[in-house]
Amino acid sequence: MISRRQLRIKALQSLYAYYKTGREDMRRSEKELHFNIEKAYELYHYLLLLIIDVVLYAESRIELAQNKRIPTEQDLNPNRRFVENRLIGQLRNNAHLLRYVEQHKLNWVNHPELIREIYRRLIESEEYAAYMEAEENSYADDKRLLTFVYSHLIFSSDLLDSILEEQSIFWNDDLEFITSMIVKTFKKFKEEDGADKALMELYKNEEDKDYVVKLYRQTILHRDEYVEYIKLNTRNWDLDRIAFMDILIMQIAIAELIAFPSIPTKVTLNEYLEISKFYSTNKSNIFINGVLDKVVMQLKEGKKIVKTGRGLIGENE
């Protein structure tokens, strides 16, 4: 589930904490790296649980209306299309989700205001009206509604942002990525799937798990060597005046360039330039690009970058 870009970001965040807290304990920091990654997986399940609570709230409102002293015809015969959404029904019974939620004690019980807000915004939306009023309802329609809920209502909720910020320093940065992973999860569901339908795994494969640990360790163990490359290519700059995050992004990029022969140079450069747009200053992207271009030339001249594997012909020229 966790993409390579997210793994790069997680490694960068942990490295930043490693140096900035003044507690340069590599073993402890590595545990925090794994914790950071696992928290993203926790958020994945936590947000899947959210739509179930929204439906439970919708069901409670239907029940209250039916128990009025003088219920209307609409109260007695409500449109139950949303609360009987087939994909939500599958999530409510999903063994993987239920097991994870129980093990990690996840619930939204302390945030009824969020449940009400999402429900209110949903029933006021044109998408909900079209869904509820359509003559026919297919499983694909059920999927589309949930995709809308996560892509437009949950992702854009300021209240959710505040709640997540209180619960984990990592979750706000993860929200966009996790939301997209949930939408991808919905695409894999089929109407005939039962309670044993698998959700996404934490890592795509063992290679990705090994990748993030190696990337993190290499950046720390070879820090002095990598900083020296940066110094050589910023001679007109006082290193103390360069943003710390810029230096750290260049360090981790150099680590990946050297330590991972199967990752194309352009992929590494593009990934860290994109990350710099979100985690450093406005002009960092241009600055980092210029420095890394020079560093790559030096590394290739010194045979430090040696790429192997399919699709990497010409990398070492």
Side-chain angles (χ1 to χ4, degrees), residues 42 45-46 49 100-108 171:
E42 183 178 308
H45 294 83
Y46 198 33
L49 182 62
Y100 189 97
V101 165
E102 176 61 27
Q103 289 174 348
H104 293 79
K105 309 302 179 187
L106 300 178
N107 64 74
W108 293 97
W171 277 354

Side-chain angles (χ1 to χ4, degrees), residues 226-242:
Y226 300 160
V227 169
E228 192 58 36
Y229 280 114
I230 296 168
K231 282 182 180 179
L232 287 171
N233 292 283
T234 53
R235 287 177 177 171
N236 295 327
W237 292 76
D238 181 348
L239 203 63
D240 291 335
R241 294 178 60 192
I242 300 174

Side-chain angles (χ1 to χ4, degrees), residues 140-156:
D141 295 326
D142 289 345
K143 274 191 181 186
R144 275 192 290 272
L145 184 71
L146 258 64
T147 297
F148 166 75
V149 171
Y150 278 89
S151 301
H152 294 84
L153 305 184
I154 290 177
F155 174 66
S156 65

Side-chain angles (χ1 to χ4, degrees), residues 153-205:
L153 305 184
I154 290 177
F155 174 66
S156 65
S157 172
D158 292 335
L159 180 55
L160 176 62
D161 266 345
S162 299
I163 291 170
L164 295 183
E165 188 173 8
E166 289 175 4
Q167 295 192 47
S168 172
I169 61 173
F170 308 114
W171 277 354
N172 290 87
D173 284 352
D174 291 334
L175 182 56
E176 181 176 4
F177 170 73
I178 295 301
T179 302
S180 70
M181 289 300 100
I182 287 174
V183 171
K184 287 183 179 180
T185 298
F186 293 159
K187 289 179 179 178
K188 293 182 178 181
F189 267 79
K190 297 177 181 178
E191 189 168 2
E192 62 270 19
D193 288 331
D196 60 347
K197 173 68 177 179
L199 300 181
M200 288 191 171
E201 297 291 342
L202 174 55
Y203 291 99
K204 181 180 178 181
N205 50 44

Side-chain angles (χ1 to χ4, degrees), residues 87-309:
L87 179 51
I88 297 175
Q90 288 172 315
L91 292 175
R92 292 176 74 166
N93 294 301
N94 185 269
H96 177 109
L97 179 59
L98 294 176
R99 183 168 56 250
Y100 189 97
V101 165
E102 176 61 27
Q103 289 174 348
H104 293 79
K105 309 302 179 187
L106 300 178
N107 64 74
W108 293 97
V109 67
N110 293 323
H111 304 287
E113 72 285 3
L114 176 63
I115 306 301
R116 290 193 297 268
E117 181 208 79
I118 292 173
Y119 178 73
R120 176 186 57 78
R121 291 175 62 202
L122 173 60
I123 63 174
E124 291 174 355
S125 69
E126 293 179 1
E127 286 79 5
Y128 178 82
Y131 171 79
M132 297 295 281
E133 295 167 9
E135 289 186 11
E136 296 183 0
N137 172 244
S138 68
Y139 185 73
D141 295 326
D142 289 345
K143 274 191 181 186
R144 275 192 290 272
L145 184 71
L146 258 64
T147 297
F148 166 75
V149 171
Y150 278 89
S151 301
H152 294 84
L153 305 184
I154 290 177
F155 174 66
S156 65
S157 172
D158 292 335
L159 180 55
L160 176 62
D161 266 345
S162 299
I163 291 170
L164 295 183
E165 188 173 8
E166 289 175 4
Q167 295 192 47
S168 172
I169 61 173
F170 308 114
W171 277 354
N172 290 87
D173 284 352
D174 291 334
L175 182 56
E176 181 176 4
F177 170 73
I178 295 301
T179 302
S180 70
M181 289 300 100
I182 287 174
V183 171
K184 287 183 179 180
T185 298
F186 293 159
K187 289 179 179 178
K188 293 182 178 181
F189 267 79
K190 297 177 181 178
E191 189 168 2
E192 62 270 19
D193 288 331
D196 60 347
K197 173 68 177 179
L199 300 181
M200 288 191 171
E201 297 291 342
L202 174 55
Y203 291 99
K204 181 180 178 181
N205 50 44
E206 282 298 315
E207 185 180 339
D208 276 3
K209 186 176 181 179
D210 294 339
Y211 159 81
V212 70
V213 173
K214 183 177 179 180
L215 178 65
Y216 171 81
R217 290 175 180 172
Q218 287 290 122
T219 307
I220 292 176
L221 294 174
H222 298 275
R223 175 187 183 183
D224 293 342
E225 176 188 346
Y226 300 160
V227 169
E228 192 58 36
Y229 280 114
I230 296 168
K231 282 182 180 179
L232 287 171
N233 292 283
T234 53
R235 287 177 177 171
N236 295 327
W237 292 76
D238 181 348
L239 203 63
D240 291 335
R241 294 178 60 192
I242 300 174
F244 176 75
M245 184 57 84
D246 287 3
I247 296 173
L248 192 54
I249 289 171
M250 288 187 281
Q251 281 178 235
I252 195 172
I254 294 169
E256 183 170 309
L257 287 165
I258 294 173
F260 295 90
S262 64
I263 300 177
T265 299
K266 286 184 178 179
V267 169
T268 296
L269 295 178
N270 289 339
E271 284 293 306
Y272 288 104
L273 289 175
E274 283 299 310
I275 290 171
S276 72
K277 294 177 182 178
F278 296 95
Y279 289 91
S280 204
T281 64
N282 292 334
K283 297 182 180 179
S284 292
N285 181 267
I286 297 172
F287 175 72
I288 290 172
N289 187 35
V291 175
L292 287 180
D293 277 347
K294 295 175 184 176
V295 170
V296 167
M297 289 178 64
Q298 286 185 322
L299 292 174
K300 286 188 174 182
E301 287 173 2
K303 304 298 182 182
K304 292 281 187 177
I305 294 180
V306 179
K307 300 295 183 179
T308 59

